[in-house]
Amino acid sequence: MTTTSIRVALYARYSTDKQKETSIDDQLRAAKARALAQGWHVTAIHQDEGISGSTPLMLRAGGKALMADVLAQRVDVIILEGLDRLGREVGESETIVKRIEHRGIRIIGTADGYDSEARGRKVMRIARGLVNEMYLDDLREKTHRGLAGQFDRGMSAGGRCYGYRSKPAPDERGHHMVIDEDEAAIVRWVFEGYAAGNSARELVARLNAQGTPSARGGTWAVSAVFGSAAKGLGLLNNELYLGRVTWNKRQWLKDPDTGKRRYVTRPQHEWQTRAAPELQIVSDELWQRVQARKTAGAGRGSRTGKGSIPKTLLGGLLRCACCGGSVIAVNATRYGCGVRKDRGASVCSAKYTVHRDLLDKRLISELRDELVSPAALADLQKEVSLLLAHVQKESFETVGPARQKAKNLRQEVDRLVDAITSIGISPALQERLKQAEAALAVVDQQLQASAKIPAAPTVSDVMGRYKRLVLNLQTVLEEDKDRDRTRQMLADMLGTVVVGRDKAGKAFADLDEPAERLLLKAVGESLKVVAGAGFEPTTFGL
């Protein structure tokens, strides 16, 4: 391969708004200079702006595009500033680098000196990974310590709360929280309305109908008002409206499996609370009336808003044709738009509902027909053949060297025995024979263990099982006790399913090609071949 034929991808990232956008330009400039010096051709440039290194690479737009190039074998070399641009956590960074280098793609760091072709790169990679991860831990501790100091000084420790605004402190570094009278009036109106007997859903519908913006500037949701009393979430549970400030209740933690961050409540002994009577918006008497009504309604279907666990097969996996929101179970028998139910008719005008059993059966029927179509089966058989061939090759590459090593050790043992027979035993020959026999015993044990591993299934075995599962799809999905897994499997197969009514008033569902989606999910983007040819979206009436 000539230097001019080598394909190079550049990747750059900077973390926060405190860094300049020119940071990206600086990183790319150094990367381009390295490619130019080598005579390589830059074919792709990917970047992520204002994204932390703790964010998984596949959850970044630029990072995802970079890995798509890697999986599709569209690049030979990746140039970046350093491995910390890919990720700052040791485990994730190591996995990414191994995945890239396994495909024969070289990684070069312009600043940290990393090079996939350098000796000792593994030690350097792990050492730098540990430094990067320690940097994140140190930054997290310093940030938390700084916020604790701000709270102790009576300053705002961050976080937007409806009914208040932030005001710079005149003589100190920091900000004070002060009441926003316009928003405070809305807070009192919500409390008074709920105390008077209105439901949270009715109050939200009125707020949205009046065009009152929420704390984030969008429309109101039931969860923003009702929330969770146990976690202190939601407008009706916020003790700040009583003039009581609590900090350090929750923290962001990243799920190591999904890579997504989520709020987790800290132990109550870690909470810090102080009185702030100047921030009280709601009277003690009104607060008590609201809490009394909530307590009286507990256990009688009062749980509303986000956090409820979907119990239906398709609820939340469908999208409304009118507003794009989730279609959920709106009652015991029908699906409907969750946005309309949660935020009111002013946000979504869709009035349709669809019988749940009818939609479930029709979608499963469409899935079954698509997944056993001749085109889908032909593509699946081709990909299964490729995957099984790869598995057999890996198995041979693992067992083959072990068999050769066992052969060599047996020959060595035979030679040592012959030597002892000819010239007699000596301490040196005896020790060598003992070592060779011990090594041979270990290798033989490994080979015996590998022989007990069941043989890889044949293509016909896999295809037969696939057909049986598809034909019994309805039963498999309904009997699966792991509802989260079932719903994820359906999401992978269905993609986006849009539900609505046409101009004639007839309900319909529109979905992408499920066989293609399932196939690509199963074999990965690196094996994406002709699966997309000839497929069209499917629409059917209900």
Side-chain angles (χ1 to χ4, degrees):
M1 181 182 293
T2 62
T3 57
T4 55
S5 65
I6 292 179
R7 302 162 299 172
V8 177
L10 311 182
Y11 179 70
R13 175 189 64 79
Y14 76 87
S15 300
T16 69
D17 54 7
K18 293 182 180 179
Q19 291 178 283
K20 298 179 180 179
E21 293 184 8
T22 52
S23 172
I24 289 282
D25 297 332
D26 294 340
Q27 293 176 45
L28 293 178
R29 187 179 301 109
K32 290 176 182 177
R34 180 61 182 271
L36 180 63
Q38 298 290 338
W40 296 335
H41 177 55
V42 176
T43 59
I45 298 177
H46 305 296
Q47 60 191 54
D48 289 301
E49 301 179 2
I51 296 181
S52 168
S54 64
T55 302
L57 188 70
M58 291 302 289
L59 295 183
R60 315 176 205 160
K64 190 174 183 179
L66 175 68
M67 291 307 296
D69 283 345
V70 169
L71 293 173
Q73 295 287 320
R74 289 192 287 262
V75 296
D76 304 303
V77 178
I78 294 174
I79 303 180
L80 34 67
E81 184 180 54
L83 294 183
D84 62 333
R85 299 301 91 188
L86 296 176
R88 286 193 178 274
E89 295 187 351
V90 175
E92 185 193 2
S93 179
E94 186 72 5
T95 299
I96 294 169
V97 172
K98 285 183 177 179
R99 187 176 297 167
I100 293 173
E101 293 183 347
H102 175 71
R103 289 167 170 78
I105 299 172
R106 182 179 176 184
I107 302 175
I108 294 177
T110 60
D112 66 1
Y114 183 82
D115 190 333
S116 298
E117 295 185 352
R119 294 185 62 181
R121 71 182 190 281
K122 292 184 179 180
V123 175
M124 173 187 175
R125 190 167 71 218
I126 294 174
R128 287 195 175 276
L130 288 172
V131 171
N132 291 331
E133 189 162 322
M134 289 172 65
Y135 167 80
L136 279 180
D137 292 340
D138 186 52
L139 180 64
R140 188 179 299 113
E141 290 177 5
K142 287 181 177 178
T143 301
H144 190 266
R145 185 167 65 247
L147 291 174
Q150 291 292 78
F151 180 82
D152 289 340
R153 288 189 292 273
M155 301 288 184
S156 172
R160 168 80 165 94
C161 182
Y162 191 81
Y164 303 92
R165 56 185 174 83
S166 184
K167 180 180 178 181
D171 301 322
E172 301 180 62
R173 296 180 61 184
H175 290 73
H176 286 297
M177 190 184 301
V178 296
I179 294 176
D180 183 311
E181 293 300 338
D182 291 336
E183 292 186 354
I186 300 298
V187 172
R188 297 187 190 98
W189 179 84
V190 170
F191 270 83
E192 290 167 356
Y194 189 82
N198 294 291
S199 69
R201 185 165 286 113
E202 290 171 338
L203 295 171
V204 165
R206 293 181 194 174
L207 288 171
N208 289 330
Q210 296 166 4
T212 304
S214 67
R216 297 182 180 180
T219 56
W220 288 83
V222 172
S223 58
V225 172
F226 198 83
S228 167
K231 297 179 180 180
L233 302 177
L235 191 145
L236 295 176
N237 302 300
N238 193 343
E239 292 188 345
L240 181 56
Y241 299 133
L242 271 179
R244 188 179 302 134
V245 182
T246 301
W247 178 75
N248 207 39
K249 287 181 63 174
R250 297 183 294 168
Q251 62 180 327
W252 282 105
L253 292 180
K254 188 171 75 170
D255 189 319
D257 296 324
T258 64
K260 296 181 178 180
R261 296 200 311 159
R262 60 190 181 91
Y263 258 137
V264 176
T265 302
R266 295 178 184 269
Q268 195 164 353
H269 68 269
E270 295 184 10
W271 298 5
Q272 297 184 36
T273 303
R274 60 178 169 84
E278 73 280 4
L279 298 180
Q280 185 168 3
I281 292 177
V282 176
S283 68
D284 293 351
E285 183 271 336
L286 179 55
W287 174 272
Q288 293 300 330
R289 282 198 290 137
V290 167
Q291 305 313 311
R293 187 188 165 206
K294 289 175 59 184
T295 303
R300 298 205 306 265
S302 59
R303 181 180 179 179
T304 59
K306 294 169 72 173
S308 58
I309 301 173
K311 296 181 174 61
T312 57
L313 196 59
L314 301 174
L317 301 181
L318 314 172
R319 293 291 165 185
C320 172
C322 181
C323 69
S326 294
V327 172
I328 62 174
V330 293
N331 56 39
T333 60
R334 304 188 74 81
Y335 289 120
C337 179
V339 171
R340 178 185 175 90
K341 179 181 179 181
D342 195 35
R343 299 173 186 257
S346 63
V347 180
C348 179
S349 59
K351 297 181 179 179
Y352 67 85
T353 59
V354 181
H355 199 282
R356 283 162 43 180
D357 287 344
L358 172 62
L359 183 56
D360 289 354
K361 290 178 181 178
R362 286 299 305 274
L363 274 177
I364 298 303
S365 176
E366 289 291 331
L367 273 176
R368 189 165 47 238
D369 292 345
E370 292 286 350
L371 294 176
V372 294
S373 67
L377 291 176
D379 283 336
L380 183 62
Q381 184 165 342
K382 181 176 181 178
E383 300 304 338
V384 168
S385 299
L386 288 173
L387 288 173
L388 290 180
H390 180 68
V391 170
Q392 291 173 354
K393 180 182 178 181
E394 285 191 338
S395 176
F396 177 78
E397 291 175 350
T398 301
V399 176
R403 289 175 176 169
Q404 183 61 45
K405 185 176 181 180
K407 180 180 178 181
N408 294 339
L409 286 169
R410 287 193 180 91
Q411 291 174 349
E412 182 180 357
V413 169
D414 291 341
R415 288 195 299 269
L416 289 170
V417 171
D418 290 342
I420 291 173
T421 302
S422 300
I423 63 176
I425 192 168
S426 69
L429 285 175
Q430 186 177 16
E431 181 61 25
R432 286 178 58 190
L433 178 61
K434 181 179 179 181
Q435 293 175 354
E437 289 177 335
L440 179 59
V442 172
V443 176
D444 282 340
Q445 188 176 10
Q446 293 174 345
L447 289 172
Q448 291 174 5
S450 64
K452 296 178 181 179
I453 299 176
T458 64
V459 174
S460 59
D461 291 336
V462 176
M463 295 302 295
R465 176 171 174 77
Y466 171 82
K467 291 177 182 178
R468 289 193 298 273
L469 285 173
V470 171
L471 292 175
N472 296 317
L473 188 59
Q474 180 83 34
T475 302
V476 170
L477 294 176
E478 290 178 348
E479 293 183 353
D480 192 344
K481 296 181 180 179
D482 189 343
R483 181 48 59 93
D484 288 339
R485 184 182 67 176
T486 301
R487 292 170 58 79
Q488 184 58 54
M489 181 169 61
L490 279 172
D492 292 338
M493 289 189 287
L494 291 169
T496 301
V497 181
V498 178
V499 179
R501 286 191 183 275
D502 56 24
K503 294 181 179 179
K506 186 177 181 180
F508 69 87
D510 188 0
L511 65 153
D512 293 329
E513 166 51 42
E516 178 189 10
R517 292 185 59 83
L518 184 60
L519 181 59
L520 295 182
K521 179 72 175 178
V523 302
E525 292 188 33
S526 60
L527 296 179
K528 190 182 295 182
V529 283
V530 296
F535 290 116
E536 297 292 339
T538 301
T539 301
F540 59 87
L542 301 173

